[in-house]
Amino acid sequence: MNIQPKHTEPLILSGRDVTAVLGPTNTGKTHLAIERMVAHESGIIGLPLRLLAREVYTRVCEKVGAHKVALITGEEKIQPDGARYSVCTVEAMPRETDAAFVAVDEVQLAGDLERGHIFTDRILHLRGRQETLLLGAATMHGILQRLLKGVSVVTRPRLSHLAYAGSKKLTRLPRRTAIVAFSADEVYAIAELIRRQQGGAAVVLGALSPRTRNAQVELFQSGDVDYLIATDAIGMGLNLDLDHVAFAQNRKFDGYQYRNLTAAELGQIAGRAGRHLRDGTFGVTGQVDPLDEELVKKIEAHDFDPVKVLQWRTARFDFANLDALKRSIETNAPVEGLTRALPAVDAQALEHLSRDEDIRALATDARRVALLWEACALPDYRKIAPAQHADLIASIYMDLARHGHVDENYMAEQVRRADTTEGDIDTLSHRIAQIRTWTFVSNRPGWLADQAHWQEKTREIEDRLSDALHERLTKRFVDRRTSVLMRRLRENTMPEAEISPTGTVLVEGHHVGELQGFRFTADQSAGGEDAKAVRTAAQKALAAEFEARAERFGAAANGDIALGSDGTLRWIGAPIQRRVPS
């Protein structure tokens, strides 16, 4: 697909041939965008998360064939020759294109303090030749009409009902529940409790790689576990078979401060419950106070305060010198309804690097200044201090400026440090953040002498680390025995029982206890929901065995039965009854 930037055209805020499709979650907006895109000869769709871009890419490939579809994110590029459709993260979308169709999903993120300016830029600048769709919450209705004169707004109702179910204890939450918290420590603590009480839980955090998140989601979707413990990462388009969403926390750190979630944010997450025509519920759990009546009404009716301003940053950078670039970044918003964004990670890095004499000595012309700004776009996957992140960018930039590419030995050493699957959950999560940094570097045009090699190498390492992390999460938070047994009981299928010559009982390959004669003794290590599952599965699986043994006992020869001096009646050596003195 041909994507050509157009230069020096004046900013014209027009809504001509633009349709805003607005509504709450579960209104089929993304599905509509996919259908509209493949009806055109070419198109681009932008999603807020790499995970969602991957999901939509797969769906588009199924419709038109993988040879016609490109996937473009900061860390991954699949670009077949002659691809007609591009699925991107919003950050990876071009600012202008000659594609016939363009869609931007979750446009309400234009109000986000961290990433909002990127969404705003695409909303204002990016247009399809024939059709442009802006998808998002109804809170964007007024601001889009103010900024984009002539925009057509279509509202879509939710397909199912969402109702408040009040407060419930963590151990009393219904099956098919997502429990929402806002820190990894809290997510892990809740998952540990659910494992002990309910047999297991899947976890979804923004810090997980897409491969790990997909594997954890599949645990939940397949029914292996009935509970999903997640951050607000589930609020953006993940389609899950959820019946209930329970908030275990309602405060989060937004990158600048700890604050209560807004009604719209609560609604975005709660709306994951109940998909298509199936109704859903939401509520609170743990230490969270019950939601007040006014807030509940807003969430149930999807009636939230409108977005009043969008975050904005100029796209016309002055690369004459470092100081000129910094001044241009600080340009004030040109029209009412836009506000200049707070310094993002790239601007913070630039501010730090502009004070470095070695950097200033290299950034002496427009080309070198532009190259530095390009290097500053490196995301802070590791969530480290701004100065540390800037130091990493400095190392990369100095190689690019001096040698034209990142030093191969430096790259190899950084990648080697992440290339081991040893360690616990936190260690593996940190390594994935490290390798994602170098995956991003390997996907930047011209940054490496052997780009294809490093793309393949970093992707292979990320996949192995992701698989190892999924295995550690599952081992820690899922009791496989309870999970398998409860699944078989729900399906109302007869579990397979295997009894060894010594009386050991395995159900579906899992040890559940011992059977001696007609007496079954459940595994003493089982407790809580696990013990209940073991007993119920064993009773069901051994029912036929008890009947068969009763028939054999009835037909047994006298020599097979003996009464011991201790009053124990034995059948072929197995105790079946004990005589108690009267």
Side-chain angles (χ1 to χ4, degrees):
M1 192 172 92
N2 184 25
I3 298 174
Q4 298 285 345
K6 303 173 187 175
H7 301 288
T8 69
E9 291 188 0
L11 172 64
I12 301 173
L13 299 182
S14 170
R16 182 181 177 185
D17 297 326
V18 178
T19 301
V21 183
L22 307 178
T25 56
N26 192 25
T27 56
K29 297 185 292 291
T30 307
H31 175 75
L32 171 69
I34 293 171
E35 293 296 322
R36 292 301 308 143
M37 181 168 76
V38 299
H40 288 274
E41 63 183 20
S42 60
I44 299 174
I45 183 169
L47 290 307
L49 298 172
R50 177 185 170 199
L51 181 67
L52 294 181
R54 253 286 172 189
E55 181 182 310
V56 171
Y57 167 75
T58 301
R59 289 166 63 183
V60 178
C61 286
E62 289 170 354
K63 284 185 172 295
V64 301
H67 64 289
K68 294 182 180 179
V69 190
L71 174 67
I72 304 172
T73 73
E75 302 157 71
E76 190 171 19
K77 289 180 174 60
I78 301 172
Q79 295 176 285
D81 292 337
R84 293 165 50 194
Y85 306 103
S86 291
V87 181
C88 314
T89 50
V90 171
E91 283 84 349
M93 297 179 86
R95 292 192 65 243
E96 298 194 37
T97 178
D98 65 353
F101 174 88
V102 164
V104 183
D105 197 14
E106 304 290 3
V107 293
Q108 72 275 7
L109 287 176
D112 182 74
L113 294 178
E114 284 191 274
R115 302 171 65 203
H117 66 91
I118 300 165
F119 282 79
T120 300
D121 183 80
R122 306 306 185 260
I123 290 168
L124 299 183
H125 294 273
L126 193 55
R127 297 289 181 267
R129 280 188 290 105
Q130 298 171 0
E131 183 179 9
T132 301
L133 290 187
L134 304 177
L135 317 171
T139 54
M140 292 289 288
H141 192 298
I143 191 69
L144 289 177
Q145 286 191 319
R146 283 171 54 199
L147 289 172
L148 303 178
K149 303 303 181 185
V151 65
S152 173
V153 178
V154 177
T155 57
R156 292 170 70 99
R158 182 178 164 92
L159 299 175
S160 62
H161 180 62
L162 184 65
Y164 181 56
S167 177
K168 288 183 173 67
K169 291 183 179 179
L170 274 169
T171 54
R172 296 294 182 88
L173 290 169
R175 290 177 48 238
R176 313 310 293 167
T177 286
I179 304 169
V180 180
F182 295 99
S183 73
D185 288 344
E186 188 70 13
V187 166
Y188 294 153
I190 294 170
E192 194 75 59
L193 175 63
I194 295 297
R195 185 194 67 81
R196 293 197 301 268
Q197 296 292 330
Q198 305 290 358
V203 298
V204 171
L205 305 92
L208 300 183
S209 68
R211 188 179 177 98
T212 306
R213 270 185 283 183
N214 283 341
Q216 287 289 302
V217 166
E218 181 55 29
L219 265 183
F220 179 81
Q221 291 292 84
S222 67
D224 281 350
V225 296
D226 276 324
Y227 297 88
L228 180 72
I229 322 301
T231 62
D232 51 352
I234 68 165
M236 288 294 162
L238 280 179
N239 294 314
L240 302 165
D241 294 328
L242 285 173
D243 293 334
H244 183 71
V245 170
F247 291 92
Q249 291 182 313
N250 59 355
R251 287 175 61 82
K252 74 170 186 176
F253 183 71
D254 63 6
Y256 297 93
Q257 61 182 345
Y258 282 97
R259 60 171 178 81
N260 290 331
L261 269 69
T262 66
E265 288 170 332
L266 288 168
Q268 179 78 25
I269 300 167
R272 294 294 130 199
R275 305 303 294 165
H276 305 297
L277 300 178
R278 193 179 72 246
D279 293 341
T281 57
F282 67 98
V284 297
T285 189
Q287 302 301 310
V288 179
D289 293 331
L291 303 181
D292 66 66
E293 187 176 343
E294 193 63 32
L295 180 56
V296 168
K297 285 181 179 178
K298 284 179 175 290
I299 296 172
E300 289 182 336
H302 319 294
D303 180 20
F304 307 118
D305 294 338
V307 174
K308 293 184 171 61
V309 294
L310 305 185
Q311 301 296 313
W312 177 90
R313 187 173 77 181
T314 186
R316 297 182 177 181
F317 303 112
D318 185 349
F319 296 122
N321 54 59
L322 279 176
D323 294 329
L325 174 58
K326 289 165 61 178
R327 285 194 300 272
S328 67
I329 292 170
E330 294 171 356
T331 302
N332 287 322
V335 297
E336 188 179 349
L338 305 177
T339 185
R340 191 181 81 197
L342 294 170
V345 171
D346 53 2
Q348 293 176 35
L350 180 68
E351 180 62 35
H352 181 87
L353 294 172
S354 67
R355 297 193 292 269
D356 186 314
E357 290 303 321
D358 291 336
I359 297 295
R360 295 192 75 92
L362 286 171
T364 54
D365 58 38
R367 186 183 66 82
R368 290 277 186 86
V369 172
L371 182 62
L372 176 60
W373 183 234
E374 183 184 350
C376 287
L378 179 70
D380 180 16
Y381 295 114
R382 298 177 297 167
K383 304 302 179 187
I384 55 180
Q388 285 181 281
H389 184 60
D391 288 344
L392 173 61
I393 292 171
S395 298
I396 292 171
Y397 173 69
M398 286 191 280
D399 275 353
L400 292 173
R402 290 169 177 163
H403 311 300
H405 55 79
V406 177
D407 181 75
E408 293 278 316
N409 292 328
Y410 173 73
M411 180 77 178
E413 175 59 21
Q414 300 303 316
V415 168
R416 184 195 63 77
R417 291 178 184 179
D419 190 9
T420 173
T421 56
E422 299 299 318
D424 59 13
I425 289 171
D426 289 338
T427 301
L428 289 171
S429 297
H430 178 69
R431 286 205 196 103
I432 288 174
Q434 282 183 293
I435 201 63
R436 288 180 74 184
T437 299
W438 302 108
T439 301
F440 182 91
V441 169
S442 73
N443 278 279
R444 300 303 292 174
W447 279 24
L448 292 164
D450 190 352
Q451 186 176 16
H453 164 74
W454 290 112
Q455 285 176 344
E456 182 178 345
K457 180 72 172 176
T458 55
R459 171 63 56 237
E460 186 264 332
I461 293 172
E462 183 181 323
D463 286 349
R464 278 195 289 105
L465 289 171
S466 297
D467 291 342
L469 179 56
H470 171 63
E471 183 269 330
R472 301 290 198 288
L473 290 169
T474 303
K475 186 175 181 179
R476 178 173 170 185
F477 299 125
V478 178
D479 186 316
R480 279 295 187 185
R481 177 174 67 183
T482 306
S483 172
V484 168
L485 297 182
M486 292 185 72
R487 185 177 181 184
R488 288 291 177 266
L489 293 172
R490 284 197 305 272
E491 293 170 351
N492 201 29
T493 56
M494 182 62 71
E496 293 183 9
E498 181 182 340
I499 304 164
S500 75
T502 60
T504 298
V505 181
L506 301 179
V507 176
E508 296 291 331
H510 296 271
H511 177 255
V512 297
E514 305 293 325
L515 180 64
Q516 298 297 330
F518 291 96
R519 174 172 292 180
F520 173 71
T521 305
D523 180 11
Q524 298 302 305
S525 68
E529 197 71 23
D530 187 22
K532 179 181 176 183
V534 164
R535 287 194 304 271
T536 307
Q539 288 168 3
K540 191 169 184 178
L542 294 175
E545 177 65 20
F546 282 132
E547 287 184 17
R549 288 194 177 196
E551 288 183 12
R552 294 200 303 272
F553 177 69
N558 290 338
D560 292 340
I561 302 170
L563 180 64
S565 59
D566 61 354
T568 301
L569 186 67
R570 296 178 181 273
W571 171 44
I572 320 178
I576 59 172
Q577 188 175 4
R578 180 185 295 274
R579 194 179 75 174
V580 179
S582 58

